[in-house]
Amino acid sequence: MEDAAGTITMKWHQKTIEKTLEELETSLKGISSEEAERRLKEYGPNKLEEKKKRSVFMMFLDQFKDFMIIVLIAAAIISGIIGEPSDTIAIIVIVILNAAIGFIQEYRAEKAMAALKMLASPTATVLRDGNPSNIVSSNMVPGDIVLLEAGKVVPADLRLIESAQLKTEEAALTGESVPVEKNIHLLHDEMLPLGDRKNMIYKGTTVSYGRGRGVVVSTGMNTELGRIASMLQEEEEVKTPLQKRLLSFGQRLALVVLAICAIVFGIGVLRGEPPLLMLLTAISLSVAAIPEALPAVVTISLALGAKKMVRQNALLRKLPAVETLGSVTYICSDKTGTLTMNKMTVEEIWMNRKMRKGSGSQGVKESSEVKNQTLKPLNPRTLEPLFFTALALSNDSHADAEGNIIGDPTEVALYNIAKENGFDKKELEQNFPRAAELPFDSDRKCMTTFHKTGVRGQGSGVSREELITNLQSTNTVFSNPQSLIPNPQYVSFTKGAVDILLDKSKDILTSEGLKPISREEILKINNRMAADGLRVIGIAMRQWDELPQDMSHENVENGLTILGLAGMMDPPREEAKEAIALCKSAGIKPVMITGDHPITARAIAHRLGILEDDSKAIITGRELEKLSLGEFEERVEHIRVYARVAPEQKLKIVKALQDKGQYAAMTGDGVNDAPALKRADIGVAMGITGTDVSKESAHMILLDDNFATIIKAVKEGRRIYDNIRKFIKYLLTTNSGEVWTLFLAPLAGLPIPLLPIHILWINLMTDGLPALALSVEPSDSNIMKRPPRHPKESIFAHGLGIHALWVGLLMAGIVLFVQAWALKTGHAHWQTMVFTVLCLTQFGHVLAIRSERESLFKVGLFSNKTLLYSVLLSFLFQMATIYVPFLNPVFKTEPLTLSELLFTFTLSSVVFFAVEIEKFILRRQGR
């Protein structure tokens, strides 16, 4: 059994039923109530545990540990000391806003475990003291015998000991898109993935068909669902690229600013300036240079982006997720329901020795057998009515009151293709009521239904008279006229695995009559369809003058006549193919991760364009298990398809990509995706088909389950990051202009050019409306034609730091030139002129940097009206400080003459034209 810690190390699927019962010290009658109580104390309740949570208060306090937040709090204190309460209030509001947003995000993330718990079955039926008993599933223990039936949620991990056509829905756990047939047979392969362990069923999955019994082998955190819960709790979220870059930027900038302020203070004092004035100047400079508006601009940019994304069917649970998408280099996507439609569809039909496309076959690669045609209106005197009648009648799916088709996905696909061709099951059953059946059995891999041949000659499809006419007209060319009964009273239809049907059939029906079976031909067709990722079902029939007394499958399922084959798959979404092409054009590598069979995964990946003809680009979970971490990391950047993988392997894939310096996005909808969604640089959950666990673990939720929506988010993320870079470029340049002005003036023998109030006003004007307006700047035309940013790219990359340095020096040079000229020519208003020039140069600069390469005249002055109006409003405020009389004493300014004002306008424009020249040079170099 289990060790003292409750850990089960054995592979239960390798154990016989007898050995399993023996090691669990139980029997087919279950355990006693007393023994159940003892085991409950020993192993604990059958529920998912949670690690100790932080209190709500501590979660809120943790939001203030960020370095930039600490710098902002210090700036607020300094502003209060120097008598600037407005700055103090503004900074405090910014800090609290950011803390609140971070707190809400973390609080939501804590709900992931609660959602996972909801998958647990509240009650279950077990054998206690030899009798069936309904118990709370949390009281279930290893050794309990559980009774299973359709619709029940599996309460624990079970080794099956009895199975009657039992199927389970495991998509949420393994990614398998169709219900899995279960049996009790021993399996020998130790490394079988979960989806192939047919004698096991797992906690949190659902019984979709049949009934059975199983013995509990694992409960609580020892179940496969519990392992996912453990990974979900242990997995820490990584910082987003934006968080990493801003943290690094803030730390460096704060240190540099403090050093420069100390130098300015020291030089001023050495030159004989009043120490108090120099202290206030240094403090004002530090407040101006430290970007207190940066978190606000980032928050506003992300919030506006998030609002825009909701209109495009993407809900952001965590604001930085939009920007992160702009950095991703790999998108790892679950196949079922994300890249595919999560709906089995008939893709190909082989009938009358010809291959035809089914309704869901858009984009099917044609072989030599596939004719470029669709199924046309049927001739009642061909074999097609028989084929589609068989698909409709030998079928347990049905339509509910709302018109939804209920049943096994494979049968639903056959039901739909028959109905699309005019053969409605409900109407056909009026003419051909079901008289008997042999249900599907996983051992013989087929099912058979008997139908009386015509009760009344009404309804759609084929009537009894038409069927008999069809059979008799074909009978004239049969080599053996007695092979079909002239007036059959019953017909049986058998469907199942092709190789099994071949063993049970004696001939094949064609438009030329009955022909001998060419086993090699049919198996070749079957293998080709299977190689294309299709699930192939064979259809056969037999006629009876009366219902056989012996209804054993040995008697009934032989001497059959094959009608044709149907190939099905869960087809890829049409829009996903286009989205993946856009991914590639944007330099992002799409990767498919699925629990499905490798052949199916390969076929879907080829059709979507994920997989080229590189055989090394696909790997199975079993192969991945055998690779060491080093070997895997050597290959991980080249693999495009992962098949038959377990949940922890999905997490391993994401981690390996991150270890190689890549930024990985993970999409998914199942419980099995949750740990990887949380670990990924950005986790993307499906809003419609996604489980609550996946949604709570993700950063972003696709409201339409459309893979193509991710591409819109990538574009939006790149735009937002571009705009944040523009803001930082603007901020650094204006701040460096102020710092260089105050630093160089004493060295040039000039008096301190700006007073503390001037510095703080310029800081308010530049970090205010114009800077915020940059957050709504439209995207560049080439935004989706360039590769992703390198994951380790500095925020100063592409010349941002150099630009801030030389433009800042240019601003300082212009300001000091104005100061020196005004002092030499005896202008009494020199300080107001300096103040105005420094402010106006920054307005010209913000207009010039709207695009990194394109001229403002090409971008258009009115393409960002918010910025234009912000600049005009800020300009009016600046003019008010000069020409509104009661503001003159507040800002220590004096009205300028017209000539002085024009002089300041002229020199202020130099920066705008200098930056336009820089962009012109960049465009020439690019060409």
Side-chain angles (χ1 to χ4, degrees), residues 288-354:
I290 291 174
E292 70 268 17
L294 180 58
V297 170
V298 171
T299 300
I300 290 171
S301 296
L302 296 176
L304 291 175
K307 185 177 180 181
K308 182 178 180 180
M309 286 307 302
V310 169
R311 295 196 297 268
Q312 297 175 338
N313 292 315
L315 175 65
L316 276 299
R317 292 189 63 252
K318 301 174 184 180
L319 285 181
V322 180
E323 182 276 333
T324 310
L325 270 171
S327 300
V328 296
T329 53
Y330 282 77
I331 296 181
C332 303
S333 175
D334 186 48
K335 177 187 75 71
T336 305
T338 307
L339 293 169
T340 64
M341 299 178 66
N342 199 18
K343 177 184 177 182
M344 291 294 284
T345 306
V346 175
E347 297 267 321
E348 293 181 355
I349 291 171
W350 186 76
M351 181 171 47
N352 196 23
R353 289 182 170 172
K354 293 180 180 180

Side-chain angles (χ1 to χ4, degrees), residues 851-884:
S851 172
E852 290 198 3
R853 301 179 68 87
E854 298 298 333
S855 168
L856 175 65
F857 304 107
K858 181 177 180 180
V859 172
L861 195 60
F862 292 94
S863 57
N864 186 350
K865 293 180 180 178
T866 304
L867 177 60
L868 179 62
Y869 298 151
S870 297
V871 169
L872 291 175
L873 186 60
S874 298
F875 172 77
L876 293 176
F877 284 152
Q878 177 62 24
M879 293 299 100
T881 64
I882 300 173
Y883 294 108
V884 175

